[in-house]
Amino acid sequence: IVHSSGRTRNNIMRPLTEEETKTLFQKLAEYMGRSIERLINRSDERHCFRLIKDRVYYISESVMKASTSINKDNLLHCGTCLGKFTKSGKFRLHVTALDYLAQYSKYKVWLKPSAEMSFLYGNNVIKSGLARITESTPQYAGVVVYNLADIPLGFGVAAQTTEACKELDPTANVVLHQADVGE
């Protein structure tokens, strides 16, 4: 996307440094496990990660090469925004990464229809709203949240293991909300 006013911004597209790549991969591994390599070495076309203004973009190499013809001052972004680096150097995933997290997620949670709206309003998932959960989900693992029609609604962190969920109180948190499509 081209910035129309032509203002100069600190938005030069560049590859991630080794430290930034390590931080990004650690965050993605919480949700995808070892499937991260499938993001880069895809069967259709190679993809890469690029940084513009502290935001990490997932972009095909052909689009990246085409974007080099756009003046760097006019380039706002290209590709899919996966998230951004905070000022303290941590990486925070954005909901725009949900399509890729859903494709390669290791742990999944399905919600009952009565709990969907609550999750989309930013609330945590409680046990009474849980329909299914992937077997052997560890505590604090990244999970993708689906409705019963297998449509990804968002993602979060497992507050309990799969085994612990069976004996929980109906009002206990099962998934801690991080992002959803209602944002």
Side-chain angles (χ1 to χ4, degrees):
I1 293 179
V2 178
H3 191 271
S4 60
S5 71
R7 283 182 283 154
T8 304
R9 298 175 136 198
N10 184 17
N11 60 345
I12 297 171
M13 181 169 60
R14 65 169 176 82
L16 276 64
T17 64
E18 191 172 321
E19 188 63 34
E20 290 167 340
T21 304
K22 181 181 174 187
T23 304
L24 170 67
F25 282 5
Q26 284 175 341
K27 180 59 89 169
L28 290 175
E30 291 177 21
Y31 292 88
M32 299 179 175
R34 300 200 39 86
S35 299
I36 298 170
E37 28 188 84
R38 285 195 249 160
L39 277 178
I40 300 166
N41 300 321
R42 292 175 38 165
S43 58
D44 55 347
E45 185 179 5
R46 285 185 56 87
H47 283 64
C48 58
F49 301 101
R50 289 293 182 259
L51 188 78
I52 304 174
K53 276 196 84 184
D54 294 329
R55 286 176 164 44
V56 175
Y57 291 89
Y58 178 64
I59 182 172
S60 69
E61 288 187 350
S62 63
V63 172
M64 184 191 61
K65 288 175 185 170
S67 71
T68 58
S69 65
I70 299 172
N71 185 346
K72 291 177 180 173
D73 292 336
N74 295 335
L75 183 69
L76 285 180
H77 62 85
C78 63
T80 303
C81 181
L82 294 181
K84 68 178 270 185
F85 284 100
T86 63
K87 292 184 178 176
S88 63
K90 295 179 182 168
F91 185 74
R92 172 165 287 164
L93 283 170
H94 286 184
V95 72
T96 51
L98 181 61
D99 289 339
Y100 298 106
L101 293 178
Q103 280 180 345
Y104 303 114
S105 65
K106 201 171 174 184
Y107 304 111
K108 303 175 183 182
V109 168
W110 289 265
L111 299 182
K112 293 178 182 174
S114 60
E116 286 179 30
M117 287 309 293
S118 176
F119 180 75
L120 293 175
Y121 283 133
N123 298 318
N124 296 332
V125 177
I126 58 175
K127 173 144 190 278
S128 63
L130 183 70
R132 293 190 324 234
I133 186 168
T134 307
E135 279 300 315
S136 66
T137 300
Q139 190 174 18
Y140 306 122
V143 295
V144 176
V145 179
Y146 294 86
N147 65 7
L148 289 178
D150 278 337
I151 298 171
L153 300 176
F155 55 89
V157 176
Q160 307 291 335
T161 64
T162 304
E163 292 75 29
C165 287
K166 296 172 185 168
E167 293 125 29
L168 280 179
D169 180 53
T171 59
N173 286 333
V174 176
V175 176
L176 305 175
H177 178 277
Q178 289 205 325
D180 63 72
V181 294
E183 291 182 351

